[in-house]
Each structure stands twice: as structure tokens, then as C-alpha cells.
Amino acid sequence: MAGLARNQQTAAAASPAAAQQMAAPHSRPIARGIVFDMDGTLTKAVIDFADMRRRVAAVAGLDSLNGDILDVIASWPAEQQRAAHAAIAEVEAQALRDMQLMPGVLELSAYLDALGVPRALVTRNVNASIDFFHKHHFTLPAFTPALSREFAPYKPNPASLLHIAEKWGVAPSELVMVGDSAKDDIVCGNRAGALTILLDEHHRYDSAEALPGEERPHFLARSLAEVQAVLQQRVQLLPPPRAPQPLND
């Protein structure tokens, strides 16, 4: 937990609000719902994104891709789009065969359930992968809602988080976005006005301060156990004021 303490100190130094939270625990921000990324957060990171980009680039006869892969594909003619999505599906199918739960996911989920704090999932993967995760790996009640890239616009656009906040009857600032991608998950959360936790199990960054602009999270954790510690120590977790409403996914 030394890494967590160091990151908390960094966050406090970077943010007067965070410093106030450490000095006055009763003033910790309220969170009434937690939203998780899937690949690399709830499950171990097994998708080879470099291979995916190479395969998609080859569809268009390119050596490489510049920019967001889904945005690039959307700009292509329909036939190339179909071929590109087929190439992505091949990579994602292999990832399903290799899928493993991230250590701590069941413990963290059970902790939130016991408090009555809802949990959702927002991923740039597809619905079939979400269904596979819930059916074959996750033994607790499903994440609800569970939004794939078929919910548009997808991350880093904050639309999915704003949609969830509205249906849960909470302010976007009462959400926490947890994910392993600074450019997708953290930017999405920050743009929505949510608290953000970057899961950095591979120690890519020394601290939250190492990330620029919208990619900078409020907190940085090295494991889901540390994510749970952040939620316990730095956030006041409360249920929504009313039962979450059904979502039109």
C-alpha cells in the first residue's frame, strides 16, 4: 500500500480539494455509483492492441494507423469498414479465449453491493464480450448497465457516463470512473465531471501528476485492492437517493 499512500500525497499536493479531503475526512466527496472499464480493469489485459491496429491498417493497405482506431474505421467506405471490424473481431475472439478476471474484482464488487452502491460497466468492446464475461467469469450479479461500443458515442466521449448518471438519478460528479486507459477511461470520466481512478498495475506512471491535462486522474491505484482502499479512505460511498431506473440500452 506504499504506492497508494505516495499517490494520495501526490494528489493532495496537486489539488487543494484533495488536500482538504485528507485534512477533513468528513468532507470527502460523495460517490453514489461506480463505473468500470472491462478489458484491463475487470479482466486482465489480454487484447493485443498493436496487432489489432496492424490488422486494421492492412485492410486499407496502410503501414500504420494514426488516431482513434474506431474513428479511423468510421471514415472509411462501407466495404472497408466491414473488413476492418472483421479483423477486430478476430483479435477480440482470441481475447475471449484468454479472458481472466482481474484479482480483486469479486471482492470489490461484493463490497459495493453490500453498501447498496450500484456498479456499471462501460467498454469499447462489444456486447458479445460483455455477455461472455458475465456468463463465464463473473459470479456475482451482473454490472448494470453494461454498455459496449455499440452505445454511441463511445469513450472517451462522456455520453455513456452522463446517460448512467441520469438514469441512476445522481449528479455526474457523484460517479467514479475506474479504468486502465488514461486516454479513454480517465478522459471520459473527467469530461463527465466524475471522480477518476487510473488502474496502473504495470507502473507505467510514477504518479497522477505524470499525466497531462484531461488524462490526469484524481487518484492512481496499482491494483483493484488499492482502488477499494481509495473508495474506502478518500470517498464517501452512499446509495443513490432513489432506486436506479431501467435503462434503454
Side-chain angles (χ1 to χ4, degrees):
M1 297 300 291
L4 173 60
R6 181 170 58 254
N7 293 326
Q8 290 175 343
Q9 291 168 0
T10 300
S15 167
Q20 183 179 17
Q21 292 163 28
M22 294 189 70
H26 63 276
S27 66
R28 291 179 297 182
I30 291 174
R32 297 184 185 271
I34 315 299
V35 183
F36 295 88
D37 171 54
M38 187 172 76
D39 300 292
T41 302
L42 299 176
T43 65
K44 292 185 178 180
V46 294
I47 293 180
D48 188 339
F49 288 106
D51 180 46
M52 180 185 290
R53 293 181 73 89
R54 284 193 296 269
R55 293 190 189 201
V56 170
V59 166
L62 302 172
D63 293 329
S64 61
L65 294 179
N66 294 316
D68 185 293
I69 186 171
L70 297 178
D71 290 345
V72 171
I73 292 172
S75 70
W76 290 351
E79 184 175 349
Q80 282 189 334
Q81 287 190 39
R82 287 192 291 270
H85 284 297
I88 289 176
E90 291 178 358
V91 176
E92 291 176 337
Q94 181 60 51
L96 289 187
R97 293 188 286 271
D98 297 337
M99 182 181 283
Q100 300 178 59
L101 287 182
M102 185 69 77
V105 64
L106 295 176
E107 294 83 355
L108 174 53
S109 298
Y111 170 72
L112 296 173
D113 292 351
L115 295 176
V117 175
R119 46 183 171 78
L121 183 165
V122 175
T123 178
R124 283 164 58 99
N125 211 316
V126 293
N127 283 330
S129 295
I130 295 173
D131 293 342
F132 187 90
F133 163 73
H134 280 138
K135 182 177 180 180
H136 296 286
H137 291 279
F138 194 70
T139 56
L140 297 176
F143 289 81
T144 305
L147 304 180
S148 72
R149 64 172 176 255
E150 292 154 56
F151 180 96
Y154 41 75
K155 297 182 298 185
N157 189 291
S160 56
L161 294 192
L162 298 177
H163 177 71
I164 292 169
E166 179 183 1
K167 296 303 180 181
W168 280 354
V170 304
S173 60
E174 294 177 318
L175 296 180
V176 179
M177 179 71 213
V178 181
D180 69 310
S181 171
K183 68 181 181 65
D184 292 326
D185 304 318
I186 302 308
V187 171
C188 174
N190 285 337
R191 287 178 178 176
L195 288 174
T196 51
I197 303 176
L198 179 65
L199 178 60
D200 182 30
E201 62 166 344
H202 298 298
H203 294 251
R204 294 166 294 172
Y205 310 104
D206 292 333
S207 68
E209 281 189 321
L211 289 115
E214 290 184 309
E215 295 185 7
R216 180 175 295 176
H218 294 87
F219 304 103
L220 188 151
R222 306 300 187 185
S223 66
L224 287 182
E226 288 196 4
V227 170
Q228 183 169 335
V230 169
L231 295 175
Q232 290 173 326
Q233 299 168 15
R234 307 301 304 277
V235 178
Q236 185 179 0
L237 293 172
L238 296 173
R242 58 176 171 80
Q245 299 300 302
L247 292 173
N248 297 319
D249 298 342

